[in-house]
Each structure stands twice: as structure tokens, then as C-alpha cells.
Amino acid sequence: MDLVLRDAEVVDGTGAPSYRADVALADGRIAAIVKEGAAAGCQRPTARRVVDAEGLALSPGFIDMHAHSDLALLRDPDHSAKAAQGVTLEVLGQDGLSYAPVDDRTLDEVRRAITGWNGGAPGDTSVDFDWRTVGEYLDRLDRGVAVNAAYLVPQGTVRMHAVGWEDRPATEAELNHMRRLVAEGLEQGAVGMSSGLTYTPGMYAPDAELTELCRVVARYGGYYCPHHRSYGAGALEAYEEMVRLTRDAGCALHLAHATMNFGVNEGRAPELLALLDEALAGGSDISLDTYPYTPGCTTLVAVLPSWAHEGGPEVLLARLRDDATAERIRHHLEEVGSDGCHGVPVEWDTLEVSGVTDPALAGFVGRRLADWPTARRLLVEDRLGSTVLQHVGHEENVRAIMRHRVHTGGSDGILQGAKPHPRAYGTFPEYLGRYVREEGVLSLEECVAHLTARPAARLRLPDRGLVREGYVADLVLFDPATVAAGSTYDSPRTLPVGIPHVLVDGRFVIEDGRRTDALPGRSVRRTPRP
């Protein structure tokens, strides 16, 4: 054996009661589990190295079902933001916008559109964009990264590639182009497709177009992960739209950051859960993820009405500079309720600037926006690169949704900006510390199942998500009595406490609470034939 974790309290991911055992690893897999009190004559395993796990819980590695580390994994080999939380697998390509599949034009446009999420604006040389296809991007990850990663084909990028930034239905030729791009991405290893239906240009797609693409996803056994059309006014209708659409397409559905936000949805989580329960009873294949916080986080430009984005980022900047058009945008934001702001008139004091790309604008970080002129100035001067926290959530909704039987954990962690959302560094220890130990919303065994086996099942990974012999040794050792998120709104990059060891493929990425120099992470691909 390479390693024995001695006298660990094994929380195996099934939701069953924990048990005490020695767990032995060899060649990156769990080779043996010997429970305390095993039959007489069963020898305790030995190895070249033994770690005393007395007082520590041993669980499968946590799976972040909604991550924005698409460039961070390549740019930052340390990646302690996720590794220190016990995350051993992230799902990238979220919200319909990422960096493959692309051509040269599309790559330039998507880099501009989501620089607030990931950095990587044109001119940024911290990452060499030497890929164009999904397979080439996954090959790039396979050179070695901190943790494992799976990928969703981003529908908005696909539409950008085939249709551009026009708000119209795709032609049959364009739809066929999109079908091919989605199929190729799935053949090259993607696990499904994502959408951002409050982000352009993905939100320009009508349901019929999305249904056709979901049929492609279904043929490959993947799942559809939409950031749906509203988390505010019309949120329940938006959820129902996604349930109906995927049912018609015969496609599995995973609802991204499934929250009920803004004043119109206070206390309405039970209505969402009843909708999902009815669909599940009818045979729909549905799961969801959430983060254990009330504020959201996005780019400031995302709240603008979709019509203002048509034509792409440079056209939008020109509209913002034009006084008459800027006044029309203000009217939609403040009086009508922009579709980019979930159909709810914007309340400027709920928007806190979390990051800027231009260092000269650093004084905005940590400030609430006062009014439209301030927001307009920031959008123009930062060339659409600013990110914001949006303080619009409700604690009772967060708690109700995390208890649901199809719930999984997803950080939605944006790692850019001087003052990012603390969920980027704290989601998983926040679940274990606050919602398990301190408040008892979930038992430890239930919570670990939500964060490990359940997402592995959604990803259809046959050998991950459980502490079981033969499974990949993606593992976390944490102290249930002390584990907690260190990150706060004031100090969002503080690492968690109570997680001394994290292993990816049997190799320590966190050892005795410190990041090692190991880069065992690789792409996790699914390439089923249709």
C-alpha cells in the first residue's frame, strides 16, 4: 500500500451512519477498508506511510457542481481557493459562456464578455489560449492542474459561434451548426450543456432552439444545466419552463444555483420544491445545486436589458456612451424591470462592487452603487469588466432548498476581483460548519452525500463520490468539531479551517493544512456514443 489513513471516522457519501476504519490507498485508488472491530484475524493494513486520522472525518472529495475556474485552474497552479475547501472536482463551462468551442472571432468576443468572471480579457497574456475545441481545452487541463475538472458545452458561446449577437431565431443552417458543435463537444468529453438565459447571446435562443440542442445532449447521455430566465419576477414560471423543455427533449435537467431571490420571492421556496416534486413523481430526471449564502454575484453589465447587448460588447459600449440610448437603458432598469435583472426594477443599493479590471477604479470596490450615472460611468470606464455582489436573497429559501433530496453543492465562485463573494473560498466548509454543526439543518452524513455521491451520480461517474474499495482516491479529512469557512464579506480570500488533508488521485494537494506542489488534477471526461 502507498498510504493508510488510520482510525478515520468514515462518512462514505451514501448518507448511512459513519463508521471507524483504516482506509488504505494504492495506485491512486482505495485499495482496502478495514472497519474497527473487523473479524478476528483480519490484519490492519500497513503501508509506506501512515497518517493518524484519529478525530477526523474521512469523506469523498467534494464536487463543485457550479464553478467558474475555467481560466483560474490554468493561471493559478496553487488554486487553494478550491483545494483548501476539500474540492477535488469542479464542473466548468457554466452559465452558457466559456472558451470552447470557439474560432478566433468568438474567442475574442467571449473573452471580452466574461472578463469580469474569469479575467483573460484581450491583451491579458497570463493564459495562452492555444485551444479552440472542447477536446483541446480538456487536453490543456490534462497537462496537470490542482483539482479535477469536468466541462459543459456553453450554449451561449455556441450561439455566438453560429449566429453571432443577433436577437433572432437561428436559421436551419445555423441550428444544424449548433447541433454539430454540441455533439462534437460531447464526443470530446463534455458531460452536458449549460445555458445562461439572462446573459446574451444565449438568452436570445427561443425554447424550440434550446429543445433541439437538448435532444442532442440527451442522445449522448448528458444533462442540461440552465441558469434560467429569471430568479426574480417570474422565477417559478422560469423553472417550470426548464422542466417542460427538458421533458419534451427527453433530457436530464440540473438547475444551476437554484435560488428564489428578490422581494417578490421571499418565503416562496416551498412552491419551487412542490413544482420539482411533481415533476420528479412524473418521471423527470432533475437535480439542482445551491451555495449557502444569500447574496448573488455577477457582472454589472449582466443587469442591463438584453436589447442593449445586441451586436456585442463594443456596440454595447457605444450605446452606453450615447446619452439618449443610456436614458432608455435607465428607464428599463429603474422603471420597467430589465430582463437582465430578472424582471425586477433595479435597487442600486443592493449592488456592491466586488471587482474592477482597471486598477484606477479600485476606489469603487466595496461600495454600493448610488444611482444609474455611477453605474454607467463604471461600465464605460471599466469596459464592462466590473463584478458586483447582489444582496437580494432570503435565508429561509436557502435553508429549505438545501434540504431537498436532489440538492447538491455548487459555489458559483467567481475568483476575480479585489473583494469577491466569500462563497468562492468558503462554500463547502460553510455547509459543514454552519449548516451541519452549528444549526443542524442537515446531518453530517446527509450533507456529505449532497456534496459527493449525489453530484457524482449526476455526472454519471462510476468510480467517484464514495469511500468504497476500487474507487478513485479523491478524499478529504476534516475535523467535524472545527471545520468552518474562513472567508467573510470583509475578508473573502481567507482559507477555511479544520480541513488538514485533501487528496486528489491519492496524492496530497493539502497536507497538514498547507498546499503542496502536486498537480494531480486532470479532465474528467464522458465520451459515450449516441
mmCIF file of all heavy atoms in Angstrom, residues 78-79 97-98 143 179 218 253 398 429 448 495:
data_model
loop_
_atom_site.group_PDB
_atom_site.id
_atom_site.type_symbol
_atom_site.label_atom_id
_atom_site.label_comp_id
_atom_site.label_asym_id
_atom_site.label_seq_id
_atom_site.Cartn_x
_atom_site.Cartn_y
_atom_site.Cartn_z
ATOM 1 N N ASP A 78 -1.610 26.945 -7.801
ATOM 2 C CA ASP A 78 -1.905 26.730 -6.388
ATOM 3 C C ASP A 78 -3.390 26.415 -6.186
ATOM 4 O O ASP A 78 -3.752 25.427 -5.585
ATOM 5 C CB ASP A 78 -1.514 27.962 -5.588
ATOM 6 C CG ASP A 78 -1.770 27.795 -4.106
ATOM 7 O OD1 ASP A 78 -0.938 27.164 -3.435
ATOM 8 O OD2 ASP A 78 -2.814 28.275 -3.617
ATOM 9 N N HIS A 79 -4.254 27.257 -6.660
ATOM 10 C CA HIS A 79 -5.712 27.074 -6.643
ATOM 11 C C HIS A 79 -6.228 26.660 -5.263
ATOM 12 O O HIS A 79 -7.136 25.834 -5.135
ATOM 13 C CB HIS A 79 -6.120 26.056 -7.701
ATOM 14 C CG HIS A 79 -7.556 26.187 -8.153
ATOM 15 N ND1 HIS A 79 -8.121 27.377 -8.540
ATOM 16 C CD2 HIS A 79 -8.538 25.253 -8.262
ATOM 17 C CE1 HIS A 79 -9.384 27.179 -8.896
ATOM 18 N NE2 HIS A 79 -9.668 25.899 -8.719
ATOM 19 N N LEU A 97 -21.441 30.397 -21.061
ATOM 20 C CA LEU A 97 -20.346 31.210 -21.595
ATOM 21 C C LEU A 97 -19.005 30.681 -21.102
ATOM 22 O O LEU A 97 -18.711 30.723 -19.908
ATOM 23 C CB LEU A 97 -20.506 32.674 -21.182
ATOM 24 C CG LEU A 97 -21.671 33.425 -21.833
ATOM 25 C CD1 LEU A 97 -21.930 34.745 -21.109
ATOM 26 C CD2 LEU A 97 -21.394 33.674 -23.308
ATOM 27 N N SER A 98 -18.224 30.151 -22.027
ATOM 28 C CA SER A 98 -16.863 29.730 -21.719
ATOM 29 C C SER A 98 -16.060 29.716 -23.015
ATOM 30 O O SER A 98 -16.515 30.246 -24.032
ATOM 31 C CB SER A 98 -16.857 28.366 -21.022
ATOM 32 O OG SER A 98 -15.558 28.085 -20.513
ATOM 33 N N ARG A 143 -2.524 18.537 -18.797
ATOM 34 C CA ARG A 143 -1.106 18.767 -18.529
ATOM 35 C C ARG A 143 -0.821 18.827 -17.033
ATOM 36 O O ARG A 143 0.340 18.773 -16.622
ATOM 37 C CB ARG A 143 -0.639 20.067 -19.197
ATOM 38 C CG ARG A 143 -0.773 20.073 -20.713
ATOM 39 C CD ARG A 143 -0.303 21.407 -21.279
ATOM 40 N NE ARG A 143 -0.740 21.599 -22.657
ATOM 41 C CZ ARG A 143 -0.567 22.718 -23.345
ATOM 42 N NH1 ARG A 143 0.069 23.759 -22.788
ATOM 43 N NH2 ARG A 143 -1.011 22.829 -24.589
ATOM 44 N N ARG A 179 -26.051 22.256 -33.508
ATOM 45 C CA ARG A 179 -26.161 20.829 -33.172
ATOM 46 C C ARG A 179 -24.810 20.131 -33.303
ATOM 47 O O ARG A 179 -24.412 19.330 -32.440
ATOM 48 C CB ARG A 179 -27.182 20.155 -34.093
ATOM 49 C CG ARG A 179 -28.641 20.496 -33.844
ATOM 50 C CD ARG A 179 -29.500 19.565 -34.696
ATOM 51 N NE ARG A 179 -30.911 19.860 -34.641
ATOM 52 C CZ ARG A 179 -31.609 20.453 -35.624
ATOM 53 N NH1 ARG A 179 -30.988 20.826 -36.744
ATOM 54 N NH2 ARG A 179 -32.901 20.673 -35.493
ATOM 55 N N ALA A 218 -29.288 14.773 -24.848
ATOM 56 C CA ALA A 218 -29.918 13.540 -24.371
ATOM 57 C C ALA A 218 -29.390 12.318 -25.104
ATOM 58 O O ALA A 218 -29.201 11.250 -24.496
ATOM 59 C CB ALA A 218 -31.434 13.644 -24.531
ATOM 60 N N LEU A 253 -32.052 17.188 -16.336
ATOM 61 C CA LEU A 253 -32.011 18.613 -16.000
ATOM 62 C C LEU A 253 -31.299 18.810 -14.672
ATOM 63 O O LEU A 253 -31.598 18.133 -13.682
ATOM 64 C CB LEU A 253 -33.441 19.152 -15.902
ATOM 65 C CG LEU A 253 -33.627 20.582 -15.387
ATOM 66 C CD1 LEU A 253 -32.995 21.603 -16.321
ATOM 67 C CD2 LEU A 253 -35.120 20.883 -15.190
ATOM 68 N N VAL A 398 -32.935 29.674 1.214
ATOM 69 C CA VAL A 398 -31.672 28.940 1.138
ATOM 70 C C VAL A 398 -31.755 27.647 1.940
ATOM 71 O O VAL A 398 -31.379 26.561 1.468
ATOM 72 C CB VAL A 398 -30.509 29.822 1.638
ATOM 73 C CG1 VAL A 398 -29.224 29.013 1.776
ATOM 74 C CG2 VAL A 398 -30.289 31.002 0.694
ATOM 75 N N PRO A 429 -16.900 24.307 3.426
ATOM 76 C CA PRO A 429 -16.823 24.363 4.896
ATOM 77 C C PRO A 429 -17.978 25.136 5.531
ATOM 78 O O PRO A 429 -18.326 24.879 6.688
ATOM 79 C CB PRO A 429 -15.478 25.052 5.154
ATOM 80 C CG PRO A 429 -15.123 25.736 3.879
ATOM 81 C CD PRO A 429 -15.713 24.908 2.793
ATOM 82 N N VAL A 448 -22.696 15.374 3.528
ATOM 83 C CA VAL A 448 -21.626 14.798 2.715
ATOM 84 C C VAL A 448 -22.205 14.127 1.474
ATOM 85 O O VAL A 448 -21.649 14.250 0.374
ATOM 86 C CB VAL A 448 -20.777 13.830 3.551
ATOM 87 C CG1 VAL A 448 -19.860 12.997 2.656
ATOM 88 C CG2 VAL A 448 -19.940 14.608 4.569
ATOM 89 N N LEU A 495 -8.693 31.416 3.869
ATOM 90 C CA LEU A 495 -8.896 29.989 3.677
ATOM 91 C C LEU A 495 -9.637 29.383 4.866
ATOM 92 O O LEU A 495 -9.616 29.927 5.975
ATOM 93 C CB LEU A 495 -7.560 29.291 3.479
ATOM 94 C CG LEU A 495 -6.771 29.697 2.230
ATOM 95 C CD1 LEU A 495 -5.444 28.961 2.161
ATOM 96 C CD2 LEU A 495 -7.575 29.453 0.955
#
